[in-house]
Amino acid sequence: MKVALYSLGCKVNIYESEYVTNLLKENNYKIVDFNSNQADIYIINTCTVTNESDRKSRKIINQAKKKNSNAIIIVMGCYSQLNSTNIDADIVIGNKDKSKIVNIINEYLQNKNKINRIYNLSKEKFEDMEINNFDNHTRAFVKIQDGCNAYCSYCIIPYARGSIRSKKEDTVIEEITKLVNNGYKEIVLTGIHTGKYGLDIDSSLEKLLKRILTIKGLYRLRLSSIEINEITDEILDLMKNNHIIANHLHIPLQSGSNKILKLMNRKYTKEFFINRINTIRKIRKNISITTDLIVGFPGETEEDFTETLDTLNKIKFTHIHTFPYSPRKNTKASTMPNQVNGLIKKERVRKVLELSNKYEEEYYKSNIENIYEGVTEVRKNHKIVVHTSNYIPVIINENVENNKIVKVKITKVIGLEVYGKLI
């Protein structure tokens, strides 16, 4: 049977979709492009982090139904975890049993009865998934953790993903070792709340990192995202003494106003954030630091937004992923007074994006004439990009194979595109 899969959302979703793809291949299913009208099964791995994510998830589900009226429609992921009764599909699962997808399909094929399988994730253990191969990727994601206990006032993800659950250390080491032996140069550790890895299994992110860094042949290790108050002194020591860890961190700020941070139930102040960033930059020269930011949170006045802009100007992130606040049902922020007008949110997003582009271009230009080692990635239209440790995608004209370690000199920056030549 032919299967087409579409994945929305975060790196955890990408990892889980890749796992499902590999599992189906092992069981003699043929994977086809999602745009194909010939698939027998369409799988949509959904996202629910914002209202826009919900809208996109519904849109892709409807598109799948129109492609082939006789196809089996399977919906899984965060949106289906919270909205299963509102989804018209043949099979609906949430964020558990993705590893049992083959058995679930077989069950449906036997009796053609619709399947709707949703669990209370606060009571579930970590669902083990291991990947040995990533199609069309030079970097391999490894999911080490699931769930979140933070309950930021704007966020629905703890309800969609459940409590913190961690993959066993030995399992992580085994998975990464196999990926490295299969030729992957860069491993990206991912999770819903990565910094809390090990909380449930008497371990920690620091302990895991120490073990990973001893894996023979590992070229580069990248953290997908980590909270500022979870970058411990131990982690900083590892970064200081081991350059296998990439010279890039993604650290969500969410707001640069202390008043708004408190309303968001974030566990730090802007002063703590700025001081910690300064410490990181002393340890790692020229590190690239990117962030997430929400604008238009309930109660955010012009003064609060100006304070955020001031904080951003002090930190100078390489890139700012900016989102207008999106009310999520059953979260504390959705019932807060002083909800911000949509047009105001849109204008604030524009201002932050303008600032982000400015600092991204400045960072790239500051690296002109620098020489970096990186991994080649051949993209569509034979465009070749070298990914540096500090997350600069350098475009080169030379013809090089995919997934090769090369040295590249940055020669020019045009807008937000960086160009270089091999050394």
Side-chain angles (χ1 to χ4, degrees):
M1 296 181 80
K2 296 176 183 176
V3 182
L5 192 147
Y6 194 102
S7 190
L8 296 106
C10 65
K11 288 183 174 69
V12 172
N13 259 16
I14 293 171
Y15 174 91
E16 292 172 346
S17 294
E18 194 72 23
Y19 174 83
V20 167
T21 299
N22 287 349
L23 201 58
L24 290 166
K25 283 180 180 176
E26 288 167 13
N27 285 272
N28 300 316
Y29 286 88
K30 184 181 179 184
I31 306 301
V32 297
D33 190 271
F34 193 81
N35 293 320
S36 168
N37 295 327
Q38 305 301 316
D40 304 297
I41 301 172
Y42 290 91
I43 301 176
I44 302 96
N45 195 6
T46 60
C47 176
T48 193
V49 71
T50 63
N51 286 329
E52 180 63 14
S53 303
D54 284 356
R55 188 192 68 77
K56 283 183 180 177
S57 295
R58 290 191 296 268
K59 180 183 175 184
I60 300 299
I61 294 166
N62 290 330
Q63 282 179 6
K65 288 178 184 177
K66 291 174 183 175
K67 289 181 188 298
N68 181 357
S69 58
N70 296 317
I72 299 167
I73 305 296
I74 302 175
V75 181
M76 61 186 187
C78 291
Y79 177 72
S80 55
Q81 178 70 35
L82 298 180
N83 299 278
S84 63
T85 56
N86 299 324
I87 296 170
D88 181 21
D90 299 297
I91 298 171
V92 178
I93 60 175
N95 281 318
K96 186 179 181 297
D97 283 356
K98 292 176 186 177
S99 63
K100 297 176 182 175
I101 192 69
V102 173
N103 291 337
I104 291 171
I105 291 171
N106 288 338
E107 182 186 329
Y108 177 82
L109 290 172
Q110 282 173 11
N111 53 39
K112 295 296 175 72
N113 290 334
K114 287 192 175 185
I115 295 172
N116 194 307
R117 199 167 290 172
I118 303 296
Y119 298 83
N120 180 351
L121 296 178
S122 65
K123 299 176 181 178
E124 297 298 328
K125 293 181 179 179
F126 186 86
E127 184 176 8
D128 265 331
M129 301 178 187
E130 288 183 55
I131 292 178
N132 298 327
N133 178 61
F134 263 77
D135 282 354
N136 305 316
H137 282 271
T138 57
R139 287 165 285 168
F141 301 147
V142 173
K143 178 186 167 185
I144 62 170
Q145 179 275 339
D146 206 339
C148 181
N149 299 346
Y151 289 96
C152 297
S153 63
Y154 53 82
C155 188
I156 198 69
I157 297 307
Y159 304 94
R161 281 282 175 177
S163 303
I164 285 172
R165 310 181 297 289
S166 306
K167 184 180 284 184
K168 291 177 183 176
E169 276 187 38
D170 287 348
T171 308
V172 175
I173 299 302
E174 183 183 317
E175 184 174 9
I176 293 175
T177 301
K178 284 179 182 175
L179 286 163
V180 169
N181 290 339
N182 285 342
Y184 289 92
K185 305 292 190 292
E186 182 175 311
I187 303 297
V188 184
L189 299 184
T190 188
I192 299 301
H193 196 157
T194 315
K196 290 293 186 184
Y197 171 83
L199 195 67
D200 57 323
I201 58 169
D202 193 30
S203 182
S204 67
L205 184 59
E206 298 94 320
K207 287 180 184 176
L208 181 67
L209 288 174
K210 283 178 184 176
R211 288 193 64 186
I212 292 171
L213 291 170
T214 65
I215 294 174
K216 190 177 180 181
L218 175 63
Y219 172 70
R220 183 178 293 156
L221 182 68
R222 198 180 295 275
L223 292 171
S224 63
S225 182
I226 188 167
E227 298 289 348
I228 192 73
N229 48 359
E230 288 156 14
I231 303 173
T232 62
D233 289 343
E234 275 188 284
I235 289 175
L236 290 179
D237 282 343
L238 288 172
M239 290 183 66
K240 184 177 182 180
N241 298 311
N242 199 312
H243 285 267
I244 289 174
I245 298 175
N247 205 27
H248 164 252
L249 288 172
H250 185 80
I251 312 171
L253 173 64
Q254 305 301 14
S255 175
S257 157
N258 282 337
K259 182 190 101 178
I260 300 301
L261 285 171
K262 191 172 182 180
L263 287 171
M264 287 178 164
N265 196 31
R266 301 292 286 173
K267 309 296 193 295
Y268 52 82
T269 62
K270 66 176 184 180
E271 290 80 12
F272 176 86
F273 198 105
I274 291 168
N275 288 336
R276 204 64 176 158
I277 293 293
N278 290 338
T279 301
I280 293 166
R281 282 178 169 152
K282 285 175 187 173
I283 287 167
R284 279 292 188 96
K285 302 298 179 187
N286 203 28
I287 188 170
S288 172
I289 299 175
T290 54
T291 197
D292 294 328
L293 190 86
I294 296 170
V295 298
F297 187 82
E300 184 185 67
T301 63
E302 279 302 320
E303 290 76 16
D304 298 324
F305 179 64
T306 300
E307 186 184 347
T308 288
L309 291 178
D310 178 63
T311 301
L312 295 174
N313 279 313
K314 285 175 180 172
I315 296 171
K316 296 182 172 67
F317 291 104
T318 307
H319 183 77
I320 307 164
H321 296 272
T322 314
F323 308 90
Y325 167 71
S326 181
R328 312 306 289 132
K329 189 180 176 183
N330 297 324
T331 61
K332 190 174 180 182
S334 65
T335 62
M336 286 180 179
N338 304 313
Q339 297 283 327
V340 178
N341 177 275
L343 290 175
I344 293 173
K345 285 193 274 193
K346 191 174 180 180
E347 176 59 16
R348 289 177 185 174
V349 166
R350 187 194 66 76
K351 286 182 179 178
V352 174
L353 286 176
E354 195 174 78
L355 198 63
S356 175
N357 290 342
K358 173 191 169 188
Y359 286 124
E360 187 170 358
E361 186 176 1
E362 281 182 10
Y363 180 75
Y364 290 159
K365 284 183 175 177
S366 73
N367 282 280
I368 289 175
E369 297 298 312
N370 287 355
I371 296 171
Y372 291 111
E373 207 172 65
V375 183
T376 58
E377 182 180 298
V378 180
R379 297 183 177 176
K380 289 180 181 178
N381 304 321
H382 304 290
K383 184 179 180 181
I384 299 173
V385 172
V386 178
H387 281 282
T388 67
S389 178
N390 51 347
Y391 217 54
I392 302 176
V394 186
I395 302 165
I396 59 173
N397 288 324
E398 291 97 332
N399 191 19
V400 193
E401 285 181 48
N402 199 40
N403 200 32
K404 294 292 179 186
I405 298 170
V406 297
K407 279 190 176 179
V408 63
K409 182 178 183 179
I410 295 174
T411 55
K412 63 181 178 180
V413 176
I414 301 174
L416 298 180
E417 289 200 323
V418 183
Y419 296 86
K421 63 181 181 180
L422 295 184
I423 298 296

